[in-house]
Amino acid sequence: MDKFEIELAATLNGHQNPIFALENGYFSNTFFSGGNDKGVVEWDLEKKGFKRILCAVSSSIYALHLIPNTPYLAIALREGKVMIVDVENQKLIANLHVSNKAVFALQTIPNKKELVAVGEDGIASVWSLTSYEKVHEFAISSNTIRTVALSHDQKNIVFGDKNGDLFLFSAEDYHFLLANQKHTMPITSLVFSKDDRLVFSGARDAAFKISDVASLKEQHTFTPHMFTVYGIYPHPIYPIMATVSRDKSFKIWEDNTYSLLKAVSRDKFYDSHTLSINTGIWLAEGKYFLTAGDDKLIKIWEMKLP
């Protein structure tokens, strides 16, 4: 990719506690954030400012997931519930009791109209997005599951657990396919490559591993950060991806060579985060990359192409 620059476009404050989740908005030029505060916040990307409190919650938010082709936002909570909120009408649609333990990650299977929720109990809970009833449940691991990813063709779904193990299941009927220990510490980020041939994983061992989906065998590994890799985010258009970390930095990498293109942190003289970056997201077709974390701030970074 040609050379590019990243500039800080805005810093948004208002959260009183660490932020764990960012998600696309239903309306154009909006997005959501959530964390240890008792509410989901909606922001205006165009005005780069606060829009509204979408809804109050009763415990910490660990994941936000906008259900594709709907105005419904799924909100995963520490108390084991998942709230489904109609963003357009600001109305609670369903309150799913998933577990007695924390729910850490959510994933929809759009062609099946199903929502998969996973968390501290190591069990996947599958919910109908038409009736909001539980339609299936299956055990993945005896350890906490913190992250999940769906292949673009919606055929495979992969989970990462606290032991560093990857678990590959069929997304069509949820039967088990493969498992392999990829990391020495908990897996905290997962994503499929754009062609679905590879799965990328990041973990608390600070490693980034590339595994072949057909066998889960490791193809390549490198150390992108000093500490936990909390997120891996392929750009929606360009052959690049971003990673965010507990080491207070985010970095941009080339897709195929995994060569470093840009490192953004206070050490690199950017007005970046002072504490762990817990989450990120590409918005506006990849014009902006947003980061948020323990310093309670959201940073909007603008891609500057030559």
Side-chain angles (χ1 to χ4, degrees):
M1 183 179 172
D2 291 334
K3 288 185 178 180
F4 63 93
E5 294 298 327
I6 292 177
E7 293 182 3
L8 181 64
T11 297
L12 307 180
N13 55 49
H15 278 279
Q16 302 301 307
N17 288 290
I19 302 165
F20 299 136
L22 295 171
E23 178 58 305
N24 285 289
Y26 172 67
F27 303 108
S28 61
N29 297 312
T30 64
F31 66 94
F32 299 106
S33 62
N36 266 346
D37 292 333
K38 295 299 178 68
V40 176
V41 181
E42 187 173 17
W43 304 86
D44 188 314
L45 182 62
E46 189 173 297
K47 295 179 180 177
K48 298 179 176 59
F50 173 84
K51 182 177 180 183
R52 62 176 174 170
I53 300 291
L54 176 68
C55 64
V57 296
S58 49
S59 63
S60 297
I61 298 162
Y62 288 140
L64 298 171
H65 184 73
L66 187 68
I67 298 167
N69 306 311
T70 77
Y72 296 163
L73 182 71
I75 305 161
L77 302 176
R78 183 177 62 192
E79 65 190 274
K81 292 180 180 179
V82 173
M83 296 169 61
I84 309 290
V85 175
D86 182 336
V87 174
E88 206 168 14
N89 299 302
Q90 209 166 357
K91 179 183 176 183
L92 180 66
I93 299 299
N95 203 357
L96 313 179
H97 183 81
V98 173
S99 172
N100 292 321
K101 296 183 177 181
V103 179
F104 286 123
L106 301 168
Q107 178 64 61
T108 47
I109 317 289
N111 60 14
K112 296 173 70 181
K113 294 184 170 58
E114 290 178 346
L115 175 72
V116 180
V118 292
E120 196 173 352
D121 61 8
I123 295 169
S125 180
V126 185
W127 298 78
S128 165
L129 289 173
T130 52
S131 67
Y132 299 106
E133 294 180 352
K134 184 159 64 174
V135 295
H136 190 49
E137 186 176 272
F138 58 98
I140 302 166
S141 170
S142 58
N143 293 299
T144 294
I145 302 288
R146 285 198 172 269
T147 183
V148 57
L150 177 70
S151 62
H152 299 87
D153 63 10
Q154 300 186 45
K155 291 183 178 179
N156 293 312
I157 188 167
V158 65
F159 306 91
D161 82 350
K162 190 177 180 181
N163 192 50
D165 293 336
L166 275 183
F167 299 87
L168 185 70
F169 283 76
S170 164
E172 297 172 311
D173 61 7
Y174 304 114
H175 75 268
F176 171 76
L177 295 172
L178 292 167
N180 199 350
Q181 183 168 14
K182 306 307 297 184
H183 293 269
T184 59
M185 296 180 75
I187 296 174
T188 46
S189 50
L190 285 172
V191 69
F192 281 86
S193 62
K194 291 172 182 176
D195 62 6
D196 285 334
R197 290 179 53 253
L198 303 170
V199 61
F200 304 140
S201 56
R204 283 193 187 160
D205 58 11
F208 185 118
K209 292 183 180 287
I210 299 98
S211 305
D212 178 68
V213 171
S215 64
L216 285 190
K217 290 182 179 177
E218 187 176 307
Q219 303 297 304
H220 184 62
T221 184
F222 64 101
T223 305
H225 293 277
M226 294 174 63
F227 302 113
T228 309
V229 182
Y230 276 131
I232 303 168
Y233 308 98
H235 192 279
I237 298 171
Y238 298 116
I240 59 174
M241 56 186 163
T243 56
V244 303
S245 172
R246 182 171 165 256
D247 69 6
K248 312 172 200 174
S249 76
F250 76 90
K251 296 180 179 181
I252 309 292
W253 308 86
E254 199 164 54
D255 258 5
N256 298 321
T257 65
Y258 314 114
S259 58
L260 180 63
L261 300 175
K262 190 75 63 179
V264 178
S265 67
R266 296 185 81 83
D267 291 344
K268 298 292 183 181
F269 307 105
Y270 288 92
D271 182 15
S272 189
H273 295 273
T274 58
L275 296 171
S276 173
I277 302 177
N278 299 328
T279 183
I281 190 171
W282 292 104
L283 292 179
E285 297 184 331
K287 179 182 178 181
Y288 297 108
F289 185 64
L290 276 61
T291 54
D294 281 0
D295 62 6
K296 312 168 193 174
L297 300 175
I298 299 168
K299 300 274 187 179
I300 301 177
W301 305 92
E302 186 174 356
M303 293 273 291
K304 295 285 189 176
L305 296 168

